[in-house]
Amino acid sequence: MSKIKPSKGAPYARIMGVGGYRPTRIVPNEVILETIDSSDEWIRSRSGIATRHWASPEETVAAMSVEASGKAIADAGITPEQIDAVVVSTVSHFKQTPAIATEIADKIGAGKPAAFDISAGCAGFGYGLTLAKGMVVEGSAEHVLVIGVERLSDLTDLEDRATAFLFGDGAGAVVVGPAKEPQIGPTVWGSEGDKSDTIKQTVPWDDYRDGTVEKFPAITQEGQAVFRWAVFEMAKVAQQALDAAGISSEDLDVFIPHQANMRIIDSMVKTLKLPDSVTVARDIETTGNTSAASIPLAMERLLATGQAKSGDTALVIGFGAGLVYAATVVTLP
C-alpha cells in the first residue's frame, strides 16, 4: 500500500478573471499593401481582417504579458502574491532559456511561483488552461495565471502574399482558481503531426545563425490545406467538446474560436448549427491572428463590451501549427 498522502486540491476549477493588452499601434491593410501585390478588398474577403496591432520595441512579450496579467489578477479579485503558478504560451519569445514566464512572474510581484513556457501555437491557450485546471484540482496550485502572448510581427514576412496580412501582436491572460461546481469542462485535444509542414517556421534558427540563409526566419503556411483542415476537422472537435461537457449547441451562450480567419469562424458556426442567440467572437477583424493570445483577447473584449456576461457558457477552441488543437466548454468569469 502506498504511503503517499492523497492530494488536497479543489473539487473543480474555474476562470476567475481575464485581462488583455493590445499594442497602441493600429496597422490598416493599406500598410500591408505597400509590400505585397493585393488589395484591401481581397484581404478582407479572404480573412476578414481590416486592421491589426503591431508592438513597438517597448511592447515586448514580457511587457504586454505584465499588462494583461495585472488586469486578469485584478478582475479575479486576488493579489499577485496569491499566484502559485504562471504558464505562458508563446512562439515569439526569442530566448531559448530562461522561460519568459519566470520574468513575468517576478515583474507582477508573484513571489516564487512555478513558472514555465509552452509551445502549442494557436492552441496554446487551451493547452495552458487544461494544465492550470489540472494543477488546481490536483492541489499543486490554488491560483494559476495562464498567459497567451505573441509578437508575430517579428515573425512575419511582409513580402509573403499568403501571410503578410494575417498576423498581429498582443497578450491575453486568465486566472484559474478553485470552484465548487464544474466551470471548465473536459478538454478535447490532440495533434496531427503528419500535417506539421502546413504551418511552420521558414528555416531553423541555426541556418540563420550560420549564414546558410540571410533572410530572418518567418512563419509560413499552406493556406488552402490549413483552411480545409480547420473547416472540416475542427467543427468535429468542437462538437466533441460539447458532448464531453454534456451540453448541446442550444445550451451555449458564447462561441470563442481561435481568431484565424473569418471564413473559418463562419463555417464552424454553420456546421455546428449554432442558434442566432449565440454570441460569436469575431475579434479578428480588428486584431488579426494573434495565435495563443487570440482566445483570451476575444474573451476579454466580449465581456468588456457587454456582448457576453459573467456566468455565460462558452465554447472555446484553438487550432494551429503542429497541427494541434484544444477545445473545451467554460463558464465566463
Side-chain angles (χ1 to χ4, degrees):
M1 181 179 293
S2 173
K3 297 180 181 180
I4 300 174
K5 293 181 180 180
S7 300
K8 295 182 178 180
Y12 305 104
R14 65 187 176 106
I15 299 176
M16 299 175 61
V18 59
Y21 180 82
R22 302 165 195 266
T24 55
R25 183 188 177 192
I26 298 173
V27 180
N29 288 337
E30 285 73 19
V31 172
I32 308 299
L33 297 176
E34 294 174 3
T35 52
I36 61 171
D37 180 17
S38 187
S39 68
D40 177 65
E41 181 183 4
W42 187 88
I43 292 174
R44 289 174 186 255
S45 65
R46 300 289 290 184
S47 67
I49 300 172
T51 61
R52 73 285 291 146
H53 295 255
W54 282 356
S56 67
E58 292 75 26
E59 292 169 316
T60 63
V61 167
M64 293 190 293
S65 297
V66 168
E67 291 293 329
S69 298
K71 294 176 183 177
I73 292 169
D75 192 43
I78 64 171
T79 64
E81 292 82 4
Q82 291 176 270
I83 297 295
D84 304 304
V86 178
V87 182
V88 177
S89 178
T90 185
V91 298
S92 45
H93 169 52
F94 289 163
K95 287 184 180 179
Q96 194 71 37
T97 192
I100 194 65
T102 58
E103 179 182 340
I104 295 167
D106 177 65
K107 287 184 174 179
I108 65 173
K112 299 180 180 180
F116 58 95
D117 298 351
I118 61 174
S119 177
C122 303
F125 176 74
Y127 275 54
L129 184 65
T130 302
L131 293 172
K133 173 188 173 183
M135 284 186 267
V136 171
V137 173
E138 183 270 339
S140 58
E142 184 176 7
H143 299 106
V144 182
L145 179 65
V146 179
I147 303 166
V149 57
E150 301 292 4
R151 271 183 56 118
L152 293 181
S153 58
D154 292 335
L155 288 168
T156 298
D157 181 354
L158 294 178
E159 297 178 349
D160 181 357
R161 189 172 184 270
T163 60
F165 58 90
L166 284 176
F167 302 120
D169 303 336
V174 299
V175 173
V176 177
K180 296 180 180 179
E181 58 184 12
Q183 294 192 43
I184 302 176
T187 300
V188 177
W189 57 353
S191 65
E192 297 186 33
D194 60 318
K195 301 178 181 65
S196 60
D197 280 348
T198 56
I199 306 175
K200 63 182 180 180
Q201 184 172 303
T202 49
V203 294
W205 294 113
D206 52 358
D207 281 3
Y208 180 74
R209 178 196 63 190
D210 298 338
T212 306
V213 295
E214 294 184 359
K215 200 168 187 178
F216 193 75
I219 297 174
T220 186
Q221 69 175 29
E222 298 175 17
Q224 288 300 315
V226 173
F227 181 84
R228 288 194 298 269
W229 175 76
V231 167
F232 293 111
E233 299 300 325
M234 290 304 97
K236 298 176 186 177
V237 172
Q239 184 60 56
Q240 290 170 16
L242 290 175
D243 295 340
I247 68 173
S248 68
S249 58
E250 286 75 21
D251 298 315
L252 275 182
D253 299 304
V254 184
F255 179 43
I256 312 177
H258 165 49
Q259 303 295 293
N261 182 297
M262 193 75 81
R263 292 191 299 156
I264 292 175
I265 295 171
D266 291 341
S267 177
M268 293 180 71
V269 169
K270 183 177 180 180
T271 303
L272 290 167
K273 299 179 180 178
L274 297 184
D276 292 340
S277 59
V278 174
T279 297
V280 180
R282 291 188 171 89
D283 196 42
I284 188 170
E285 181 179 4
T286 56
T287 307
N289 180 342
T290 56
S291 189
S294 77
I295 290 175
L297 277 174
M299 182 183 296
E300 189 234 15
R301 173 164 282 175
L302 289 176
L303 289 166
T305 58
Q307 296 176 72
K309 63 183 185 299
S310 174
D312 279 353
T313 300
L315 169 63
V316 298
I317 178 170
F319 46 87
L323 294 169
V324 296
Y325 54 87
T328 188
V329 175
V330 303
T331 300
L332 296 182

